[in-house]
PDB file of all heavy atoms in Angstrom:
ATOM      1  N   LEU A  26       0.828  -1.199   0.000  1.00  0.00           N
ATOM      2  CA  LEU A  26       0.000   0.000   0.000  1.00  0.00           C
ATOM      3  C   LEU A  26       0.870   1.259   0.000  1.00  0.00           C
ATOM      4  O   LEU A  26       0.603   2.205  -0.742  1.00  0.00           O
ATOM      5  CB  LEU A  26      -0.929  -0.011   1.218  1.00  0.00           C
ATOM      6  CG  LEU A  26      -1.861   1.182   1.375  1.00  0.00           C
ATOM      7  CD1 LEU A  26      -2.802   1.294   0.173  1.00  0.00           C
ATOM      8  CD2 LEU A  26      -2.652   1.085   2.657  1.00  0.00           C
ATOM      9  N   GLN A  27       1.908   1.247   0.827  1.00  0.00           N
ATOM     10  CA  GLN A  27       2.819   2.407   0.850  1.00  0.00           C
ATOM     11  C   GLN A  27       3.517   2.577  -0.490  1.00  0.00           C
ATOM     12  O   GLN A  27       3.684   3.706  -0.987  1.00  0.00           O
ATOM     13  CB  GLN A  27       3.859   2.254   1.967  1.00  0.00           C
ATOM     14  CG  GLN A  27       3.295   2.497   3.345  1.00  0.00           C
ATOM     15  CD  GLN A  27       4.351   2.284   4.421  1.00  0.00           C
ATOM     16  OE1 GLN A  27       5.477   1.888   4.141  1.00  0.00           O
ATOM     17  NE2 GLN A  27       3.956   2.560   5.663  1.00  0.00           N
ATOM     18  N   ASP A  28       3.925   1.443  -1.074  1.00  0.00           N
ATOM     19  CA  ASP A  28       4.569   1.510  -2.392  1.00  0.00           C
ATOM     20  C   ASP A  28       3.592   2.073  -3.433  1.00  0.00           C
ATOM     21  O   ASP A  28       3.956   2.932  -4.254  1.00  0.00           O
ATOM     22  CB  ASP A  28       5.067   0.136  -2.838  1.00  0.00           C
ATOM     23  CG  ASP A  28       6.243  -0.345  -1.992  1.00  0.00           C
ATOM     24  OD1 ASP A  28       6.837   0.486  -1.267  1.00  0.00           O
ATOM     25  OD2 ASP A  28       6.554  -1.565  -2.043  1.00  0.00           O
ATOM     26  N   ALA A  29       2.350   1.570  -3.385  1.00  0.00           N
ATOM     27  CA  ALA A  29       1.344   2.044  -4.343  1.00  0.00           C
ATOM     28  C   ALA A  29       1.057   3.527  -4.104  1.00  0.00           C
ATOM     29  O   ALA A  29       0.891   4.300  -5.060  1.00  0.00           O
ATOM     30  CB  ALA A  29       0.065   1.216  -4.198  1.00  0.00           C
ATOM     31  N   TRP A  30       0.992   3.904  -2.853  1.00  0.00           N
ATOM     32  CA  TRP A  30       0.764   5.316  -2.514  1.00  0.00           C
ATOM     33  C   TRP A  30       1.893   6.177  -3.037  1.00  0.00           C
ATOM     34  O   TRP A  30       1.659   7.246  -3.591  1.00  0.00           O
ATOM     35  CB  TRP A  30       0.632   5.459  -0.999  1.00  0.00           C
ATOM     36  CG  TRP A  30       0.472   6.868  -0.552  1.00  0.00           C
ATOM     37  CD1 TRP A  30       1.406   7.649   0.015  1.00  0.00           C
ATOM     38  CD2 TRP A  30      -0.672   7.687  -0.672  1.00  0.00           C
ATOM     39  NE1 TRP A  30       0.933   8.875   0.276  1.00  0.00           N
ATOM     40  CE2 TRP A  30      -0.378   8.931  -0.144  1.00  0.00           C
ATOM     41  CE3 TRP A  30      -1.955   7.486  -1.187  1.00  0.00           C
ATOM     42  CZ2 TRP A  30      -1.272   9.984  -0.096  1.00  0.00           C
ATOM     43  CZ3 TRP A  30      -2.845   8.527  -1.126  1.00  0.00           C
ATOM     44  CH2 TRP A  30      -2.514   9.759  -0.590  1.00  0.00           C
ATOM     45  N   GLU A  31       3.076   5.703  -2.850  1.00  0.00           N
ATOM     46  CA  GLU A  31       4.250   6.451  -3.332  1.00  0.00           C
ATOM     47  C   GLU A  31       4.208   6.565  -4.855  1.00  0.00           C
ATOM     48  O   GLU A  31       4.505   7.623  -5.403  1.00  0.00           O
ATOM     49  CB  GLU A  31       5.515   5.734  -2.849  1.00  0.00           C
ATOM     50  CG  GLU A  31       6.779   6.514  -3.000  1.00  0.00           C
ATOM     51  CD  GLU A  31       6.758   7.826  -2.217  1.00  0.00           C
ATOM     52  OE1 GLU A  31       6.236   7.886  -1.093  1.00  0.00           O
ATOM     53  OE2 GLU A  31       7.254   8.802  -2.773  1.00  0.00           O
ATOM     54  N   ARG A  32       3.872   5.493  -5.549  1.00  0.00           N
ATOM     55  CA  ARG A  32       3.782   5.525  -7.006  1.00  0.00           C
ATOM     56  C   ARG A  32       2.706   6.500  -7.463  1.00  0.00           C
ATOM     57  O   ARG A  32       2.900   7.281  -8.396  1.00  0.00           O
ATOM     58  CB  ARG A  32       3.471   4.129  -7.557  1.00  0.00           C
ATOM     59  CG  ARG A  32       4.671   3.271  -7.771  1.00  0.00           C
ATOM     60  CD  ARG A  32       4.324   2.030  -8.613  1.00  0.00           C
ATOM     61  NE  ARG A  32       3.101   1.349  -8.184  1.00  0.00           N
ATOM     62  CZ  ARG A  32       3.050   0.253  -7.460  1.00  0.00           C
ATOM     63  NH1 ARG A  32       4.171  -0.339  -7.087  1.00  0.00           N
ATOM     64  NH2 ARG A  32       1.906  -0.271  -7.107  1.00  0.00           N
ATOM     65  N   LEU A  33       1.579   6.440  -6.785  1.00  0.00           N
ATOM     66  CA  LEU A  33       0.489   7.340  -7.148  1.00  0.00           C
ATOM     67  C   LEU A  33       0.862   8.807  -6.886  1.00  0.00           C
ATOM     68  O   LEU A  33       0.499   9.681  -7.664  1.00  0.00           O
ATOM     69  CB  LEU A  33      -0.772   7.006  -6.348  1.00  0.00           C
ATOM     70  CG  LEU A  33      -1.596   5.882  -6.913  1.00  0.00           C
ATOM     71  CD1 LEU A  33      -2.716   5.525  -5.950  1.00  0.00           C
ATOM     72  CD2 LEU A  33      -2.189   6.248  -8.243  1.00  0.00           C
ATOM     73  N   ARG A  34       1.543   9.036  -5.822  1.00  0.00           N
ATOM     74  CA  ARG A  34       1.969  10.402  -5.525  1.00  0.00           C
ATOM     75  C   ARG A  34       2.904  10.911  -6.610  1.00  0.00           C
ATOM     76  O   ARG A  34       2.791  12.043  -7.087  1.00  0.00           O
ATOM     77  CB  ARG A  34       2.654  10.448  -4.165  1.00  0.00           C
ATOM     78  CG  ARG A  34       2.848  11.853  -3.644  1.00  0.00           C
ATOM     79  CD  ARG A  34       3.481  11.882  -2.285  1.00  0.00           C
ATOM     80  NE  ARG A  34       4.742  11.207  -2.165  1.00  0.00           N
ATOM     81  CZ  ARG A  34       5.919  11.724  -2.545  1.00  0.00           C
ATOM     82  NH1 ARG A  34       5.992  12.907  -3.088  1.00  0.00           N
ATOM     83  NH2 ARG A  34       7.018  11.044  -2.381  1.00  0.00           N
ATOM     84  N   ARG A  35       3.818  10.038  -7.033  1.00  0.00           N
ATOM     85  CA  ARG A  35       4.729  10.438  -8.096  1.00  0.00           C
ATOM     86  C   ARG A  35       3.987  10.647  -9.399  1.00  0.00           C
ATOM     87  O   ARG A  35       4.270  11.595 -10.140  1.00  0.00           O
ATOM     88  CB  ARG A  35       5.824   9.379  -8.289  1.00  0.00           C
ATOM     89  CG  ARG A  35       6.955   9.579  -7.337  1.00  0.00           C
ATOM     90  CD  ARG A  35       8.097   8.630  -7.631  1.00  0.00           C
ATOM     91  NE  ARG A  35       8.042   7.566  -6.619  1.00  0.00           N
ATOM     92  CZ  ARG A  35       8.257   6.301  -6.810  1.00  0.00           C
ATOM     93  NH1 ARG A  35       8.596   5.877  -7.990  1.00  0.00           N
ATOM     94  NH2 ARG A  35       8.168   5.463  -5.829  1.00  0.00           N
ATOM     95  N   GLN A  36       3.038   9.750  -9.645  1.00  0.00           N
ATOM     96  CA  GLN A  36       2.261   9.901 -10.883  1.00  0.00           C
ATOM     97  C   GLN A  36       1.408  11.163 -10.821  1.00  0.00           C
ATOM     98  O   GLN A  36       1.220  11.839 -11.837  1.00  0.00           O
ATOM     99  CB  GLN A  36       1.342   8.683 -11.082  1.00  0.00           C
ATOM    100  CG  GLN A  36       2.036   7.488 -11.618  1.00  0.00           C
ATOM    101  CD  GLN A  36       1.055   6.317 -11.780  1.00  0.00           C
ATOM    102  OE1 GLN A  36      -0.095   6.426 -11.382  1.00  0.00           O
ATOM    103  NE2 GLN A  36       1.541   5.248 -12.359  1.00  0.00           N
ATOM    104  N   SER A  37       0.905  11.411  -9.674  1.00  0.00           N
ATOM    105  CA  SER A  37       0.056  12.590  -9.563  1.00  0.00           C
ATOM    106  C   SER A  37       0.874  13.857  -9.721  1.00  0.00           C
ATOM    107  O   SER A  37       0.394  14.851 -10.246  1.00  0.00           O
ATOM    108  CB  SER A  37      -0.695  12.533  -8.248  1.00  0.00           C
ATOM    109  OG  SER A  37      -0.333  13.461  -7.340  1.00  0.00           O
ATOM    110  N   GLU A  38       2.088  13.847  -9.277  1.00  0.00           N
ATOM    111  CA  GLU A  38       2.945  15.010  -9.473  1.00  0.00           C
ATOM    112  C   GLU A  38       3.264  15.176 -10.958  1.00  0.00           C
ATOM    113  O   GLU A  38       3.376  16.285 -11.448  1.00  0.00           O
ATOM    114  CB  GLU A  38       4.241  14.856  -8.681  1.00  0.00           C
ATOM    115  CG  GLU A  38       4.072  15.046  -7.202  1.00  0.00           C
ATOM    116  CD  GLU A  38       5.363  14.794  -6.452  1.00  0.00           C
ATOM    117  OE1 GLU A  38       6.420  14.537  -7.075  1.00  0.00           O
ATOM    118  OE2 GLU A  38       5.303  14.818  -5.223  1.00  0.00           O
ATOM    119  N   THR A  39       3.465  14.096 -11.641  1.00  0.00           N
ATOM    120  CA  THR A  39       3.810  14.174 -13.048  1.00  0.00           C
ATOM    121  C   THR A  39       2.601  14.508 -13.907  1.00  0.00           C
ATOM    122  O   THR A  39       2.708  15.250 -14.876  1.00  0.00           O
ATOM    123  CB  THR A  39       4.440  12.864 -13.543  1.00  0.00           C
ATOM    124  OG1 THR A  39       3.546  11.828 -13.306  1.00  0.00           O
ATOM    125  CG2 THR A  39       5.776  12.666 -12.969  1.00  0.00           C
ATOM    126  N   SER A  40       1.498  14.006 -13.541  1.00  0.00           N
ATOM    127  CA  SER A  40       0.334  14.316 -14.375  1.00  0.00           C
ATOM    128  C   SER A  40      -0.864  14.611 -13.487  1.00  0.00           C
ATOM    129  O   SER A  40      -1.615  13.737 -13.119  1.00  0.00           O
ATOM    130  CB  SER A  40       0.044  13.179 -15.324  1.00  0.00           C
ATOM    131  OG  SER A  40      -0.279  12.026 -14.602  1.00  0.00           O
ATOM    132  N   ARG A  41      -1.002  15.854 -13.162  1.00  0.00           N
ATOM    133  CA  ARG A  41      -2.079  16.253 -12.267  1.00  0.00           C
ATOM    134  C   ARG A  41      -3.389  16.283 -13.017  1.00  0.00           C
ATOM    135  O   ARG A  41      -4.443  16.168 -12.409  1.00  0.00           O
ATOM    136  CB  ARG A  41      -1.794  17.623 -11.699  1.00  0.00           C
ATOM    137  CG  ARG A  41      -0.674  17.589 -10.721  1.00  0.00           C
ATOM    138  CD  ARG A  41      -0.746  18.823  -9.853  1.00  0.00           C
ATOM    139  NE  ARG A  41       0.317  18.778  -8.914  1.00  0.00           N
ATOM    140  CZ  ARG A  41       0.170  18.529  -7.650  1.00  0.00           C
ATOM    141  NH1 ARG A  41      -0.998  18.347  -7.154  1.00  0.00           N
ATOM    142  NH2 ARG A  41       1.192  18.483  -6.874  1.00  0.00           N
ATOM    143  N   ASN A  42      -3.320  16.466 -14.205  1.00  0.00           N
ATOM    144  CA  ASN A  42      -4.549  16.620 -14.960  1.00  0.00           C
ATOM    145  C   ASN A  42      -5.148  15.276 -15.374  1.00  0.00           C
ATOM    146  O   ASN A  42      -6.262  15.242 -15.891  1.00  0.00           O
ATOM    147  CB  ASN A  42      -4.287  17.465 -16.208  1.00  0.00           C
ATOM    148  CG  ASN A  42      -3.878  18.875 -15.833  1.00  0.00           C
ATOM    149  OD1 ASN A  42      -4.203  19.314 -14.740  1.00  0.00           O
ATOM    150  ND2 ASN A  42      -3.185  19.549 -16.719  1.00  0.00           N
ATOM    151  N   ASN A  43      -4.462  14.265 -15.184  1.00  0.00           N
ATOM    152  CA  ASN A  43      -4.926  12.965 -15.655  1.00  0.00           C
ATOM    153  C   ASN A  43      -5.935  12.393 -14.647  1.00  0.00           C
ATOM    154  O   ASN A  43      -5.579  11.978 -13.550  1.00  0.00           O
ATOM    155  CB  ASN A  43      -3.717  12.050 -15.834  1.00  0.00           C
ATOM    156  CG  ASN A  43      -4.068  10.803 -16.595  1.00  0.00           C
ATOM    157  OD1 ASN A  43      -5.242  10.546 -16.852  1.00  0.00           O
ATOM    158  ND2 ASN A  43      -3.067  10.042 -16.940  1.00  0.00           N
ATOM    159  N   ALA A  44      -7.190  12.315 -14.951  1.00  0.00           N
ATOM    160  CA  ALA A  44      -8.257  11.869 -14.060  1.00  0.00           C
ATOM    161  C   ALA A  44      -8.245  10.356 -13.892  1.00  0.00           C
ATOM    162  O   ALA A  44      -8.654   9.827 -12.862  1.00  0.00           O
ATOM    163  CB  ALA A  44      -9.602  12.323 -14.599  1.00  0.00           C
ATOM    164  N   SER A  45      -7.790   9.658 -14.893  1.00  0.00           N
ATOM    165  CA  SER A  45      -7.774   8.197 -14.798  1.00  0.00           C
ATOM    166  C   SER A  45      -6.788   7.736 -13.747  1.00  0.00           C
ATOM    167  O   SER A  45      -6.963   6.691 -13.129  1.00  0.00           O
ATOM    168  CB  SER A  45      -7.470   7.581 -16.146  1.00  0.00           C
ATOM    169  OG  SER A  45      -6.152   7.849 -16.521  1.00  0.00           O
ATOM    170  N   SER A  46      -5.737   8.493 -13.502  1.00  0.00           N
ATOM    171  CA  SER A  46      -4.756   8.120 -12.486  1.00  0.00           C
ATOM    172  C   SER A  46      -5.378   8.149 -11.110  1.00  0.00           C
ATOM    173  O   SER A  46      -5.127   7.289 -10.270  1.00  0.00           O
ATOM    174  CB  SER A  46      -3.577   9.079 -12.514  1.00  0.00           C
ATOM    175  OG  SER A  46      -2.863   8.960 -13.695  1.00  0.00           O
ATOM    176  N   CYS A  47      -6.192   9.124 -10.846  1.00  0.00           N
ATOM    177  CA  CYS A  47      -6.843   9.229  -9.527  1.00  0.00           C
ATOM    178  C   CYS A  47      -7.798   8.066  -9.301  1.00  0.00           C
ATOM    179  O   CYS A  47      -7.864   7.514  -8.205  1.00  0.00           O
ATOM    180  CB  CYS A  47      -7.612  10.553  -9.451  1.00  0.00           C
ATOM    181  SG  CYS A  47      -6.567  11.930  -9.022  1.00  0.00           S
ATOM    182  N   SER A  48      -8.553   7.746 -10.315  1.00  0.00           N
ATOM    183  CA  SER A  48      -9.492   6.643 -10.126  1.00  0.00           C
ATOM    184  C   SER A  48      -8.736   5.326  -9.942  1.00  0.00           C
ATOM    185  O   SER A  48      -9.163   4.469  -9.169  1.00  0.00           O
ATOM    186  CB  SER A  48     -10.476   6.558 -11.286  1.00  0.00           C
ATOM    187  OG  SER A  48      -9.818   6.521 -12.507  1.00  0.00           O
ATOM    188  N   SER A  49      -7.606   5.144 -10.586  1.00  0.00           N
ATOM    189  CA  SER A  49      -6.792   3.941 -10.392  1.00  0.00           C
ATOM    190  C   SER A  49      -6.263   3.894  -8.967  1.00  0.00           C
ATOM    191  O   SER A  49      -6.262   2.846  -8.304  1.00  0.00           O
ATOM    192  CB  SER A  49      -5.614   3.912 -11.349  1.00  0.00           C
ATOM    193  OG  SER A  49      -6.048   3.859 -12.666  1.00  0.00           O
ATOM    194  N   PHE A  50      -5.814   5.074  -8.516  1.00  0.00           N
ATOM    195  CA  PHE A  50      -5.287   5.151  -7.161  1.00  0.00           C
ATOM    196  C   PHE A  50      -6.374   4.819  -6.142  1.00  0.00           C
ATOM    197  O   PHE A  50      -6.152   4.045  -5.190  1.00  0.00           O
ATOM    198  CB  PHE A  50      -4.721   6.558  -6.921  1.00  0.00           C
ATOM    199  CG  PHE A  50      -4.321   6.764  -5.496  1.00  0.00           C
ATOM    200  CD1 PHE A  50      -3.219   6.116  -4.980  1.00  0.00           C
ATOM    201  CD2 PHE A  50      -5.040   7.622  -4.664  1.00  0.00           C
ATOM    202  CE1 PHE A  50      -2.851   6.312  -3.678  1.00  0.00           C
ATOM    203  CE2 PHE A  50      -4.667   7.803  -3.359  1.00  0.00           C
ATOM    204  CZ  PHE A  50      -3.560   7.156  -2.850  1.00  0.00           C
ATOM    205  N   LEU A  51      -7.544   5.322  -6.289  1.00  0.00           N
ATOM    206  CA  LEU A  51      -8.642   5.044  -5.365  1.00  0.00           C
ATOM    207  C   LEU A  51      -9.019   3.565  -5.403  1.00  0.00           C
ATOM    208  O   LEU A  51      -9.314   2.958  -4.371  1.00  0.00           O
ATOM    209  CB  LEU A  51      -9.856   5.911  -5.704  1.00  0.00           C
ATOM    210  CG  LEU A  51      -9.747   7.374  -5.297  1.00  0.00           C
ATOM    211  CD1 LEU A  51     -10.948   8.160  -5.799  1.00  0.00           C
ATOM    212  CD2 LEU A  51      -9.637   7.495  -3.803  1.00  0.00           C
ATOM    213  N   PHE A  52      -9.000   2.993  -6.581  1.00  0.00           N
ATOM    214  CA  PHE A  52      -9.318   1.577  -6.699  1.00  0.00           C
ATOM    215  C   PHE A  52      -8.311   0.723  -5.933  1.00  0.00           C
ATOM    216  O   PHE A  52      -8.670  -0.209  -5.215  1.00  0.00           O
ATOM    217  CB  PHE A  52      -9.371   1.179  -8.186  1.00  0.00           C
ATOM    218  CG  PHE A  52      -9.667  -0.272  -8.376  1.00  0.00           C
ATOM    219  CD1 PHE A  52     -10.950  -0.761  -8.145  1.00  0.00           C
ATOM    220  CD2 PHE A  52      -8.663  -1.157  -8.759  1.00  0.00           C
ATOM    221  CE1 PHE A  52     -11.215  -2.102  -8.320  1.00  0.00           C
ATOM    222  CE2 PHE A  52      -8.940  -2.493  -8.921  1.00  0.00           C
ATOM    223  CZ  PHE A  52     -10.222  -2.971  -8.706  1.00  0.00           C
ATOM    224  N   VAL A  53      -7.031   1.015  -6.052  1.00  0.00           N
ATOM    225  CA  VAL A  53      -5.975   0.264  -5.367  1.00  0.00           C
ATOM    226  C   VAL A  53      -6.116   0.442  -3.859  1.00  0.00           C
ATOM    227  O   VAL A  53      -6.016  -0.519  -3.073  1.00  0.00           O
ATOM    228  CB  VAL A  53      -4.578   0.699  -5.862  1.00  0.00           C
ATOM    229  CG1 VAL A  53      -3.491   0.118  -4.996  1.00  0.00           C
ATOM    230  CG2 VAL A  53      -4.388   0.294  -7.303  1.00  0.00           C
ATOM    231  N   VAL A  54      -6.367   1.664  -3.397  1.00  0.00           N
ATOM    232  CA  VAL A  54      -6.491   1.933  -1.962  1.00  0.00           C
ATOM    233  C   VAL A  54      -7.678   1.160  -1.397  1.00  0.00           C
ATOM    234  O   VAL A  54      -7.599   0.525  -0.333  1.00  0.00           O
ATOM    235  CB  VAL A  54      -6.623   3.446  -1.700  1.00  0.00           C
ATOM    236  CG1 VAL A  54      -7.031   3.733  -0.263  1.00  0.00           C
ATOM    237  CG2 VAL A  54      -5.321   4.147  -2.012  1.00  0.00           C
ATOM    238  N   ILE A  55      -8.802   1.215  -2.078  1.00  0.00           N
ATOM    239  CA  ILE A  55      -9.998   0.518  -1.597  1.00  0.00           C
ATOM    240  C   ILE A  55      -9.764  -0.988  -1.585  1.00  0.00           C
ATOM    241  O   ILE A  55     -10.130  -1.682  -0.630  1.00  0.00           O
ATOM    242  CB  ILE A  55     -11.220   0.889  -2.457  1.00  0.00           C
ATOM    243  CG1 ILE A  55     -11.595   2.351  -2.188  1.00  0.00           C
ATOM    244  CG2 ILE A  55     -12.398  -0.027  -2.172  1.00  0.00           C
ATOM    245  CD1 ILE A  55     -12.664   2.884  -3.117  1.00  0.00           C
ATOM    246  N   ALA A  56      -9.120  -1.541  -2.594  1.00  0.00           N
ATOM    247  CA  ALA A  56      -8.838  -2.977  -2.661  1.00  0.00           C
ATOM    248  C   ALA A  56      -7.935  -3.401  -1.505  1.00  0.00           C
ATOM    249  O   ALA A  56      -8.165  -4.429  -0.854  1.00  0.00           O
ATOM    250  CB  ALA A  56      -8.207  -3.322  -3.995  1.00  0.00           C
ATOM    251  N   VAL A  57      -6.919  -2.625  -1.204  1.00  0.00           N
ATOM    252  CA  VAL A  57      -5.993  -2.955  -0.116  1.00  0.00           C
ATOM    253  C   VAL A  57      -6.718  -2.893   1.221  1.00  0.00           C
ATOM    254  O   VAL A  57      -6.546  -3.749   2.097  1.00  0.00           O
ATOM    255  CB  VAL A  57      -4.763  -2.026  -0.148  1.00  0.00           C
ATOM    256  CG1 VAL A  57      -3.938  -2.168   1.118  1.00  0.00           C
ATOM    257  CG2 VAL A  57      -3.916  -2.334  -1.363  1.00  0.00           C
ATOM    258  N   LEU A  58      -7.562  -1.881   1.400  1.00  0.00           N
ATOM    259  CA  LEU A  58      -8.311  -1.759   2.660  1.00  0.00           C
ATOM    260  C   LEU A  58      -9.278  -2.919   2.851  1.00  0.00           C
ATOM    261  O   LEU A  58      -9.431  -3.444   3.953  1.00  0.00           O
ATOM    262  CB  LEU A  58      -9.054  -0.414   2.703  1.00  0.00           C
ATOM    263  CG  LEU A  58      -8.182   0.827   2.888  1.00  0.00           C
ATOM    264  CD1 LEU A  58      -9.047   2.092   2.803  1.00  0.00           C
ATOM    265  CD2 LEU A  58      -7.449   0.793   4.208  1.00  0.00           C
ATOM    266  N   VAL A  59      -9.934  -3.343   1.786  1.00  0.00           N
ATOM    267  CA  VAL A  59     -10.882  -4.470   1.877  1.00  0.00           C
ATOM    268  C   VAL A  59     -10.124  -5.746   2.219  1.00  0.00           C
ATOM    269  O   VAL A  59     -10.538  -6.528   3.084  1.00  0.00           O
ATOM    270  CB  VAL A  59     -11.678  -4.604   0.567  1.00  0.00           C
ATOM    271  CG1 VAL A  59     -12.436  -5.925   0.518  1.00  0.00           C
ATOM    272  CG2 VAL A  59     -12.625  -3.445   0.397  1.00  0.00           C
ATOM    273  N   VAL A  60      -9.000  -5.991   1.587  1.00  0.00           N
ATOM    274  CA  VAL A  60      -8.217  -7.194   1.843  1.00  0.00           C
ATOM    275  C   VAL A  60      -7.703  -7.198   3.284  1.00  0.00           C
ATOM    276  O   VAL A  60      -7.753  -8.196   3.987  1.00  0.00           O
ATOM    277  CB  VAL A  60      -7.053  -7.322   0.831  1.00  0.00           C
ATOM    278  CG1 VAL A  60      -6.093  -8.417   1.248  1.00  0.00           C
ATOM    279  CG2 VAL A  60      -7.613  -7.590  -0.554  1.00  0.00           C
ATOM    280  N   SER A  61      -7.197  -6.050   3.756  1.00  0.00           N
ATOM    281  CA  SER A  61      -6.684  -6.009   5.120  1.00  0.00           C
ATOM    282  C   SER A  61      -7.812  -6.180   6.139  1.00  0.00           C
ATOM    283  O   SER A  61      -7.632  -6.782   7.188  1.00  0.00           O
ATOM    284  CB  SER A  61      -5.923  -4.709   5.371  1.00  0.00           C
ATOM    285  OG  SER A  61      -6.801  -3.605   5.355  1.00  0.00           O
ATOM    286  N   ALA A  62      -9.015  -5.686   5.839  1.00  0.00           N
ATOM    287  CA  ALA A  62     -10.152  -5.861   6.743  1.00  0.00           C
ATOM    288  C   ALA A  62     -10.563  -7.337   6.785  1.00  0.00           C
ATOM    289  O   ALA A  62     -10.960  -7.841   7.839  1.00  0.00           O
ATOM    290  CB  ALA A  62     -11.313  -4.991   6.300  1.00  0.00           C
ATOM    291  N   LEU A  63     -10.495  -8.019   5.663  1.00  0.00           N
ATOM    292  CA  LEU A  63     -10.854  -9.437   5.631  1.00  0.00           C
ATOM    293  C   LEU A  63      -9.840 -10.294   6.399  1.00  0.00           C
ATOM    294  O   LEU A  63     -10.211 -11.309   6.975  1.00  0.00           O
ATOM    295  CB  LEU A  63     -10.951  -9.908   4.177  1.00  0.00           C
ATOM    296  CG  LEU A  63     -12.158  -9.388   3.382  1.00  0.00           C
ATOM    297  CD1 LEU A  63     -12.066  -9.860   1.944  1.00  0.00           C
ATOM    298  CD2 LEU A  63     -13.454  -9.868   4.005  1.00  0.00           C
TER     299      LEU A  63
END
């Protein structure tokens, strides 16, 4: 999750305007949270 967060942060810095990156990031965060809750 930290690695994915770091990647997303870097991607977000490189392309702030890219909306698909944010939705990918949210999908990964939600998936990790669901798995850790299970």
Side-chain angles (χ1 to χ4, degrees):
L26 180 61
Q27 285 178 356
D28 291 345
W30 177 256
E31 193 60 39
R32 274 193 314 259
L33 277 173
R34 193 178 56 80
R35 275 186 256 140
Q36 281 180 354
S37 112
E38 286 176 4
T39 58
S40 63
R41 289 200 179 253
N42 296 337
N43 192 351
S45 69
S46 294
C47 278
S48 52
S49 297
F50 173 70
L51 285 175
F52 179 73
V53 170
V54 169
I55 291 172
V57 169
L58 289 176
V59 168
V60 169
S61 68
L63 289 176

